[in-house]
Amino acid sequence: ALTGAEALLRWNDESAGSVDTAAIVATAERTGLIVPLGRWILAETIRQAVCLRDAGVLGDGMTVSVNISCHQLQSDDFVPDLVAMLDGSGLPPGSITVELTESAVMSDLFQARRRLRELEAYGIPLSIDDFGTGHSSLAYLRDLPVKELKLDRLFVADIGLDPVADVILRGVIDIAMGLGLQ
């Protein structure tokens, strides 16, 4: 059953074809455009989520996940902007899940903790994306208002093929379930 969706950035250039998403993000970060680009992505994600809800595709309890860069998270305008966008759209705050990579959280843990608690207070869920590939500190799972872990594909690619991969995957799932995470 469909449980949610994820907003993904894609760019197809007429002459160059599909442009690598990592290259788009790296260029936006290098040029300082990542925050306005991220704001546009949030606005577009919310607009699409409203369309999905109105079409009956996005039901109650379903969320649309959107990746947030560490630069966005560090911006003082990030939480107020997101809250204003959600309020203006009529979507409940729990309809959008903010996804962060471990490295984004760890780049400034103090700032991240503060921002994530602001999001939590508003009812916006948090997901750690590509869990297990960055700093992988289990301590921050206790300290941050995380609701979901998304395991990196490296952990799931060899399920059933590599007994070590199976043990690691089972262990991470057991930890997540023990902490009440999805």
Side-chain angles (χ1 to χ4, degrees), residues 9-142:
L9 179 65
R10 298 292 183 258
W11 179 16
N12 290 307
D13 184 88
E14 288 181 17
S15 58
S18 181
V19 179
D20 178 50
T21 303
I24 297 169
V25 171
T27 300
E29 287 177 342
R30 189 175 58 255
T31 60
L33 294 174
I34 192 67
V35 172
L37 177 62
R39 189 177 192 292
W40 175 83
I41 290 168
L42 276 174
E44 187 62 18
T45 299
I46 291 168
R47 187 184 73 75
Q48 291 291 327
V50 168
C51 290
L52 291 171
R53 181 199 60 193
D54 292 348
V57 175
L58 188 66
D60 292 338
M62 292 182 178
T63 68
V64 177
S65 298
V66 61
N67 290 287
I68 303 299
S69 80
C70 62
H71 300 285
Q72 284 176 272
L73 192 64
Q74 293 169 359
S75 169
D76 290 335
D77 295 332
F78 172 65
V79 174
D81 280 352
L82 177 54
V83 168
M85 285 184 235
L86 283 168
D87 286 347
S89 74
L91 280 179
S95 297
I96 298 294
T97 296
V98 168
E99 274 190 20
L100 294 163
T101 61
E102 292 176 76
S103 56
V105 172
M106 297 308 286
S107 67
D108 185 346
L109 187 57
F110 177 77
Q111 178 80 327
R113 183 181 294 125
R114 190 164 47 109
R115 287 289 190 291
L116 299 178
R117 290 203 172 122
E118 290 173 22
L119 292 171
E120 179 188 39
Y122 192 69
I124 298 170
L126 169 68
S127 176
I128 301 295
D129 197 15
D130 297 334
F131 182 76
T133 59
H135 302 283
S136 296
S137 171
L138 297 177
Y140 70 74
L141 294 180
R142 181 186 59 205

